[in-house]
Structures are given as structure tokens and as C-alpha cells.
Amino acid sequence: MMNESAHFLALVDELSSLSQVDALLLAGSRATGLADDDSDYDLYVYLNAPLSLASRQQILDKYCRYIELNNQFWETEDDAILHDGIEVELIYRDFEFLNQHLQQLLLHHQASVGYSTCIWANLLDSKILYDANGLAGQLQQRYKLAYPQALQQAIIDKNLPLLLEQIPAYSHQLAKALQRQDRVSLNHRCSEYLASYFDVLFALNQLPHPGEKRMLNYAESHCQRRPQQLRRNIEALLSEVGQGQACLLERLKILSQGLCQCIEEHPDLELPGI
């Protein structure tokens, strides 16, 4: 933990002294070595019993100049700014939640619409700062698995139809929004399209999904199987959506067809029956 915030390290040290805390895992760019000046601390606090709001407030008051306690937008978390100006997110979980999710994903191959394997990637890429009973390390080893081919296919089957011509497909939704010149809907549906697009792309390459940040850079550096001119077409789509240009519909076809071609060229995967 060299070159890390002294306030963050002190916060980790105090949390690790609590009997309710099983483990502390650092995730995100601070764990993977990709942090920049705008990077925050994503600290996952795994609990074996509730940690009261009063206790959390008392601890954070020592190390933070601003605190938002008990935000519930995605998971239970405390968001704060350390005394040195660096943001920190404390996300509270338990190992039962994590284990159940990963069993459904990796043993039962339960895909979702977009971001199917993000929690798996989160565990594998996290840096263990504290592990009272070794449970975090055991789970990292247990789920350090080869990417299941059945999961690959399940993610493709779940997401690819939404990139093509079925009635709920994003292309149809974007065409309607374009006709109405509904800029909010255009941006929303484009984001959903890209969520499913990258979910398929990372599954195709047997890569756990790295999350929503820097996805294009990650795809270019890690995906051996990818459509030609991926960056050019993604950036063009974003520009066309932003300007409400009709040519975005043709761009969608180019992107989706390129992805289908990559799947067709894979010896072990099939296009879903669409």
C-alpha cells in the first residue's frame, strides 16, 4: 500500500479492528494500478454483522471532511471525501451475497442484460487489504476459473438479440426516438445498446467484464476477437446519436454485423436463433 493516502490507510486500519468486519477489499483503478488524479477509493467492506450508522459516522468523522452516510442507490454505501481531498466509497456487503451471485453466474450460467460478469471481475481484480479468516482469499481462489463456455453462450443468447432485429431490439427503439427527435431517449437507448454490445464482446473473448469505465481502451488492449474499426465505429455512433443523425441506424448495423461475424468465426459458439 505504498503511495496511498495516509487518511485512507488509517481508515482501513481502524475498520480492520472491528469484530463485525470480515474483510476489506480495494477495487477499481486503485487496485489495478490504473489510477489517475481523479481516481477514488472503492473499498468493499464485508460484514458478518450490522455496523451501526452511528459507528460508521464516528469512524468517518476522523478521516473525512465530507460524508454522505448510508446511500442506497445501488448497494448500501457511505460516500465521503478524505481530509486530503480524495473521494472514498465504502460499499457494505457480506460473503453470502457474493458467493450466491457467483454460483448463479459461474455454475448456473445466469446472464443478465449488460454487465453480466462485473461482480466476478470485481472480486478477481480486488486487492485484499484485510482478511480476518481468509474467506476473501478463499473466494478469489475458488472463482479463479476458466471462463465457462456455457456462460459465453448464455450471455450471447441474452444480449445479442437486442442488438439485431427482434421487436424489443435497441435499433427499433432508436429508430422511433430518431423519428421523434427525442434526444434523451436516443442517448438512453444508445447506452443500453453499448452495455449489451460490450457484454457480448467480453464474453466472446472470455474476459470478465471490467465495468463501465475505459471499456473501449480495455477492449482494444485485451480482446483478440473484435470487429474491425471498433473504435472508429463506436465513436462515430456516439457522435451521430448526440447530433440526432439518421445515419446512426446504419452504424448500428455495421457494429452488430461485425460482432455477429466474430461469433460466427468462433469454432465453439453459435448465433442465437433469432
Side-chain angles (χ1 to χ4, degrees):
M1 294 290 294
M2 294 180 63
N3 302 320
E4 298 293 358
S5 162
H7 301 288
F8 176 74
L9 294 177
L11 173 61
V12 167
D13 187 57
E14 180 156 355
L15 288 169
S16 66
S17 70
L18 302 177
S19 61
Q20 300 97 320
V21 175
D22 275 334
L24 300 169
L25 275 66
L26 178 64
S29 58
R30 292 274 182 181
T32 58
L34 298 175
D36 57 27
D37 291 340
D38 295 319
S39 296
D40 60 6
Y41 286 102
D42 299 309
L43 184 64
Y44 286 82
V45 183
Y46 285 88
L47 300 173
N48 55 56
L51 188 58
S52 71
L53 294 179
S55 297
R56 285 151 54 185
Q57 178 83 58
Q58 185 178 22
I59 293 170
L60 290 171
D61 278 340
K62 299 177 185 178
Y63 310 108
C64 303
R65 68 188 192 197
Y66 175 79
I67 301 167
E68 293 179 1
L69 202 66
N70 209 41
N71 280 335
Q72 299 285 334
F73 302 113
W74 294 278
E75 300 181 59
T76 296
E77 63 181 74
D78 297 332
D79 300 286
I81 301 175
L82 297 166
H83 287 307
D84 54 18
I86 302 175
E87 293 182 16
V88 58
E89 297 179 16
L90 292 85
I91 303 98
Y92 298 95
R93 287 180 177 174
D94 59 61
F95 283 124
E96 182 179 359
F97 156 81
L98 181 64
N99 193 42
Q100 287 182 353
H101 176 87
L102 294 177
Q103 284 187 5
Q104 289 298 313
L105 178 73
L106 297 168
L107 302 182
H108 302 288
H109 313 124
Q110 183 173 309
S112 60
V113 176
Y115 301 100
S116 292
T117 54
C118 280
I119 290 181
W120 184 26
N122 176 275
L123 173 64
L124 295 180
D125 294 339
S126 288
K127 186 174 184 179
I128 299 174
L129 306 182
Y130 171 73
D131 195 7
N133 301 302
L135 294 175
Q138 290 172 23
L139 283 177
Q140 275 191 338
Q141 290 302 313
R142 181 184 305 169
Y143 292 112
K144 195 176 290 183
L145 305 173
Y147 200 113
Q149 184 183 329
L151 178 59
Q152 273 185 295
Q153 191 66 58
I155 292 173
I156 292 170
D157 291 347
K158 183 83 168 181
N159 287 272
L160 191 65
L162 291 172
L163 307 180
L164 300 174
E165 297 298 329
Q166 288 196 237
I167 290 175
Y170 298 121
S171 57
H172 295 307
Q173 299 177 45
L174 281 160
K176 291 178 182 179
L178 185 64
Q179 185 173 355
R180 298 167 179 149
Q181 279 298 292
D182 184 343
R183 297 296 182 89
V184 173
S185 184
L186 281 172
N187 281 277
H188 177 72
R189 299 306 179 189
C190 180
S191 296
E192 296 296 320
Y193 174 91
L194 291 173
S196 285
Y197 187 94
F198 279 101
D199 213 19
V200 172
L201 180 61
F202 293 133
L204 171 64
N205 287 272
Q206 296 183 302
L207 294 170
H209 196 305
E212 63 185 7
K213 298 176 184 175
R214 305 174 186 172
M215 279 194 291
L216 189 52
N217 289 343
Y218 187 87
E220 287 185 322
S221 61
H222 291 80
C223 294
Q224 295 184 355
R225 298 177 184 270
R226 64 179 188 270
Q228 295 181 355
Q229 297 184 319
L230 177 65
R231 177 176 290 274
R232 176 180 177 274
N233 284 315
I234 292 289
E235 292 181 346
L237 174 64
L238 294 171
S239 176
E240 291 156 3
V241 166
Q243 298 174 40
Q245 297 179 356
C247 56
L248 72 88
L249 299 176
E250 184 61 30
R251 189 74 58 186
L252 291 175
K253 290 182 180 179
I254 292 170
L255 281 162
S256 298
Q257 288 171 358
L259 195 55
C260 286
Q261 183 178 351
C262 290
I263 295 168
E264 288 179 317
E265 292 171 353
H266 194 292
D268 300 318
L269 297 175
E270 298 179 355
L271 293 174
I274 300 171

